[in-house]
Structures are given as structure tokens and as C-alpha cells.
Amino acid sequence: MTFEAFFEKVKEAFKDADASGVTEHLAYQFNITGEAEGIFYVEVKDGKLYVEPYDYHDRDAMFICSAENLIKIAEGKLDPILAVTLKKLKVEGNIDKALKLKSLIGGKKKKA
């Protein structure tokens, strides 16, 4: 899988995330290793979520893992805490803010 194809899957996964209740600024960078290697960021600002294929130098936390492991985490097939323990996911930066990402992914928009 190319990074471009992987990034489209990521954008699709985040499209239903509900950031409207998030009042603080959150910025995460993802460094994908191995197949589909590349970098992207997820930012929550003013209750809106942005996902872009760029470095984010003023980030709160950085996640380093393979595309395969990130997909497993996003699908709920791999617990992120277990992934860190098994060294399948490395987290650098503000751990408290990093943990908020899980609730953001889990909080989908309500359909009308």
C-alpha cells in the first residue's frame, strides 16, 4: 500500500469523528514506518478536526508505528496501551493529550 492510499483511509476513518465538544487545541503527528511510510497530522482547533499529510512541529504528541498497527488500533483490534507495551507503537510528548485521541476517534457524529 502506498502512503497516499493509506492516508485516504485515515481521512475516511476520521471523517465522522465529532470534535465539536473539544474546547482545547490538540495536535498530533503520526510518523508511519515501513510500508506506506510517511507523515501526517491530526489537529483539533475550535471544535473542528483537520487531517493533513504534513509535519506538525508544534504538536502535543507524536505517534510512531506501522500503517498496519495504526489501522488495527483505529479498528479496535489492537489496544493502544498494549501496542505501546509490545513496542508496536511509540508515543512521544504529552501523554495526557495523547490519551484524548482515543475518545476522539470513538466519538462519532450523530446521524440526523
Side-chain angles (χ1 to χ4, degrees):
M1 177 185 315
T2 65
F3 175 74
E4 292 76 17
F6 171 70
F7 183 70
E8 286 306 312
K9 286 181 92 164
V10 168
K11 282 193 85 142
E12 182 68 22
F14 275 103
K15 78 176 174 102
D16 290 332
D18 184 6
S20 62
V22 179
T23 57
E24 66 184 307
H25 179 261
L26 300 172
Y28 307 107
Q29 180 171 310
F30 291 81
N31 291 6
I32 305 304
T33 60
E35 185 181 357
E37 181 176 342
I39 295 172
F40 69 93
Y41 74 85
V42 175
E43 178 183 30
V44 178
K45 184 176 179 181
D46 301 324
K48 293 184 180 156
L49 185 123
Y50 304 90
V51 181
E52 297 297 334
Y54 307 111
D55 281 319
Y56 197 103
H57 297 285
D58 194 23
R59 61 190 169 254
D60 296 310
M62 180 168 55
F63 301 92
I64 304 164
C65 65
S66 69
E68 178 184 3
N69 285 327
L70 186 58
I71 290 169
K72 286 179 183 178
I73 291 167
E75 293 175 343
K77 295 177 182 173
L78 175 62
D79 180 76
I81 305 299
L82 179 61
V84 170
T85 304
L86 296 174
K87 299 186 189 286
K88 293 183 176 192
L89 172 66
K90 184 176 178 183
V91 182
E92 296 177 359
N94 185 320
I95 298 301
D96 289 334
K97 286 195 174 188
L99 290 170
K100 292 181 181 186
L101 182 63
K102 186 175 180 181
S103 63
L104 186 66
I105 295 172
K108 301 288 185 184
K109 289 180 184 173
K110 293 179 181 153
K111 306 268 182 199

